[in-house]
Amino acid sequence: MQRESYPFVEDSFSRFPSQSNIYGLCQAGEQELLAATLKGKVVCFRYQELQQKIRPVAKEVQFTYIPVDAEIVSIDAFNKSPPKSGLVVGITFVKDSGDKATPFLNIYCDYEPGSEFNLESIAQSCLNLELQFTPFQLYHTEVQCDDGGRETVFLLSGHDQRIHLYKENASLHQFEEQPVERLFPELQQLPSNVLWLDVLSISGGRRLSAFGCQNGCVGLALVDQTGAEVLQSWRFQFDSPVSTVLLFPLSCQTDPDQPSGEKSGETIGYNLLVTSTIEMAVVYRDVQEQGLSHPVCLLESDQWDAVLCALVIDLDFDGQKEVLLGTYGQELLCYKFQPSESGRDGQFQLQWRRSFKSPLLSIIYLDLTGDGLRELAVLTLKGLHILQHTLTSTAELVLERLAQRVSALRVGSELESAKNQDTKEQDAPAKKEEPTAQIPSN
């Protein structure tokens, strides 16, 4: 296999005062990142205009009610679902009181008009909740309300083998814990501590929910969101703790002669990526139809220590998504699905890998600079790397796509012109025959 070249260049690196973890990076708004360190510091990373140039800026944000001796476990943020408006930030941490450690969840949200998205104001508006369990991943997802609307909620996993749901009480302007089984019946009676959770809404008012556990168990459920009813569920047991589960649709190009960028792909189905601390990463194909019965291994993914983070995105702009894996062995791996002749089967092949100087903890793909081209943010044990697409190859791709579009428009125009000409030629004889009617003689 001829592997593709690495498509990124590193634009910046921000070193943090202390290390982070796999739950320590999140997107806040459209063009900002929040990174949490174990020593209680939260850093906001953004690009802003300085001296007529766009430059990266990393600035510590002073979130209230986080003690100086606290260790941050996880962080997450989301924009409220319409018609509501505002940014919500959640931070879990453990406060060491000497004789015992006390866990907390802080939820930050500013209800003052004009301050709903101001991070400095949001950081001062805190709801402090003491927890009775050690927190792990803090995750957010949308749920369907009784009135037919949508609302975004927090889901927090803990060492008590439970998932805890936190939902906004709009009348009291605060978030409250509610029984998870009301909205997520698939997340009760769990077999072990959940290390990673992912939820994906699909057509027909349904959703797929997946979780990976400390004991190696992977759970998957197909749920009717309208009635909060589990339609089907599956379980599979791995031999090591599951570090990531990720649900994603996969499209494959059905017409190989179709120019890249044209809409020639079809959605084959929804897939589940599972990574563990010892074994190879696995993608389960068409899970809504086949459950966990159709695994495809990502070869060589176990060669660089444990996989700690994963992301599925279209990196080369061909309409087909790639799988990115970040490992404790300091490698970033990129896999691409290569379909077989039948179109439904195939393998994920390693396209390229890139070495870092410390273990990879988290990866996010977002447009930090606001130029329409996304950057890849890579959180490592030592800090935050920002990788940008190689502009030369990206510009070449844009020119190639424009040339294809112009060619297609020209061909279409010529066909339309030829069609009009044929129509005129067909109408012409009929017009000439009209005055040829003979006049009877006297």
Side-chain angles (χ1 to χ4, degrees):
M1 176 190 69
Q2 183 177 2
R3 295 185 178 177
E4 297 182 2
S5 59
Y6 178 67
F8 292 104
V9 293
E10 183 159 328
D11 182 69
S12 68
F13 172 70
S14 301
R15 185 178 295 274
F16 293 157
S18 63
Q19 71 183 46
S20 185
N21 63 28
I22 62 173
Y23 306 131
L25 183 67
C26 73
Q27 183 174 346
E30 296 296 326
Q31 299 175 12
E32 294 181 340
L33 289 168
L34 290 178
T37 65
L38 295 182
K39 296 301 180 183
K41 306 293 184 184
V42 178
V43 177
C44 175
F45 186 91
R46 64 163 69 95
Y47 277 76
Q48 65 184 51
E49 187 172 346
L50 295 172
Q51 298 176 353
Q52 297 183 338
K53 289 186 177 181
I54 301 295
R55 301 180 186 275
V57 176
K59 179 183 178 182
E60 182 182 344
V61 182
Q62 301 290 338
F63 283 92
T64 57
Y65 295 100
I66 298 181
V68 293
D69 58 348
E71 291 192 359
I72 295 180
V73 178
S74 53
I75 187 170
D76 192 27
F78 63 81
N79 287 337
K80 293 182 182 180
S81 302
K84 296 181 181 179
S85 177
L87 177 67
V88 181
V89 179
I91 300 175
T92 69
F93 62 92
V94 177
K95 181 180 183 297
D96 189 359
S97 303
D99 54 341
K100 70 167 187 174
T102 307
F104 290 90
L105 166 63
N106 284 2
I107 299 179
Y108 299 87
C109 179
D110 197 331
Y111 291 91
E112 285 293 325
S115 301
E116 300 95 337
F117 294 97
N118 187 317
L119 195 57
E120 298 293 337
S121 299
I122 292 170
Q124 306 303 311
S125 304
C126 174
L127 171 65
N128 181 250
L129 301 172
E130 183 175 345
L131 306 176
Q132 303 303 315
F133 57 90
T134 301
F136 293 138
Q137 182 198 18
L138 182 61
Y139 179 82
H140 71 269
T141 186
E142 271 196 335
V143 295
Q144 188 168 316
C145 303
D146 296 334
D147 59 1
R150 310 286 295 180
E151 187 169 356
T152 306
V153 299
F154 275 128
L155 294 172
L156 176 61
S157 60
H159 88 296
D160 56 354
Q161 297 190 19
R162 294 177 57 197
I163 301 291
H164 300 264
L165 168 69
Y166 297 90
K167 188 172 179 288
E168 184 181 22
N169 185 327
S171 60
L172 298 178
H173 283 189
Q174 66 180 30
F175 280 74
E176 300 173 340
E177 182 173 3
Q178 297 187 5
V180 71
E181 58 270 15
R182 290 182 184 175
L183 296 175
F184 296 89
E186 70 274 25
L187 299 181
Q188 54 183 332
Q189 299 177 351
L190 301 172
S192 177
N193 299 330
V194 172
L195 300 182
W196 205 269
L197 173 71
D198 194 34
V199 178
L200 179 66
S201 293
I202 61 176
S203 60
R206 301 171 300 164
R207 70 165 175 261
L208 289 165
S209 299
F211 59 82
C213 296
Q214 194 170 3
N215 70 348
C217 180
V218 171
L220 173 68
L222 178 64
V223 182
D224 177 10
Q225 297 193 77
T226 305
E229 177 188 0
V230 179
L231 302 176
Q232 282 182 287
S233 63
W234 303 267
R235 296 281 175 94
F236 189 84
Q237 187 66 44
F238 282 77
D239 294 330
S240 60
V242 175
S243 54
T244 306
V245 293
L246 192 58
L247 292 157
F248 64 96
L250 185 66
S251 299
C252 286
Q253 192 165 306
T254 55
D255 183 3
D257 298 327
Q258 189 79 4
S260 296
E262 299 294 328
K263 294 182 179 179
S264 59
E266 65 172 0
T267 300
I268 292 183
Y270 295 96
N271 305 269
L272 174 63
L273 170 67
V274 179
T275 69
S276 62
T277 56
I278 296 178
E279 300 156 84
M280 279 191 294
V282 178
V283 172
Y284 292 94
R285 301 292 314 285
D286 300 326
V287 293
Q288 83 281 12
E289 301 292 341
Q290 305 188 52
L292 302 179
S293 64
H294 189 185
V296 179
C297 292
L298 276 61
L299 300 179
E300 301 183 57
S301 59
D302 59 345
Q303 299 299 305
W304 292 278
D305 213 318
V307 175
L308 298 182
C309 53
L311 191 63
V312 180
I313 48 175
D314 180 11
L315 283 178
D316 54 8
F317 313 110
D318 67 345
Q320 303 179 53
K321 294 185 177 181
E322 288 77 44
V323 175
L324 291 181
L325 303 179
T327 73
Y328 190 82
Q330 307 176 14
E331 296 290 324
L332 178 64
L333 313 175
C334 178
Y335 287 83
K336 191 175 186 67
F337 183 71
Q338 304 293 339
S340 62
E341 293 182 359
S342 66
R344 296 196 67 83
D345 297 320
Q347 296 291 327
F348 286 87
Q349 294 185 356
L350 182 62
Q351 299 296 297
W352 51 260
R353 63 184 180 92
R354 198 258 198 186
S355 298
F356 289 76
K357 294 184 178 180
S358 60
L360 279 68
L361 302 176
S362 182
I363 42 182
I364 294 180
Y365 192 53
L366 76 165
D367 184 9
L368 283 166
T369 56
D371 62 354
L373 193 61
R374 295 183 181 184
E375 285 75 36
L376 188 67
V378 180
L379 179 67
T380 68
L381 210 58
K382 294 184 178 179
L384 183 65
H385 299 259
I386 302 299
L387 311 178
Q388 292 185 331
H389 284 277
T390 306
L391 293 181
T392 302
S393 59
T394 305
E396 290 174 354
L397 180 61
V398 170
L399 293 174
E400 178 186 337
R401 297 277 174 85
L402 287 174
Q404 291 173 354
R405 186 56 57 88
V406 169
S407 177
L409 290 173
R410 184 181 295 117
V411 170
S413 177
E414 291 174 353
L415 290 173
E416 185 67 24
S417 177
K419 182 179 178 181
N420 293 337
Q421 185 65 29
D422 290 343
T423 303
K424 290 179 179 179
E425 291 177 356
Q426 291 173 2
D427 292 344
K431 292 181 179 179
K432 291 179 180 178
E433 291 173 0
E434 288 177 1
T436 61
Q438 294 183 357
I439 302 173
S441 58
N442 295 327

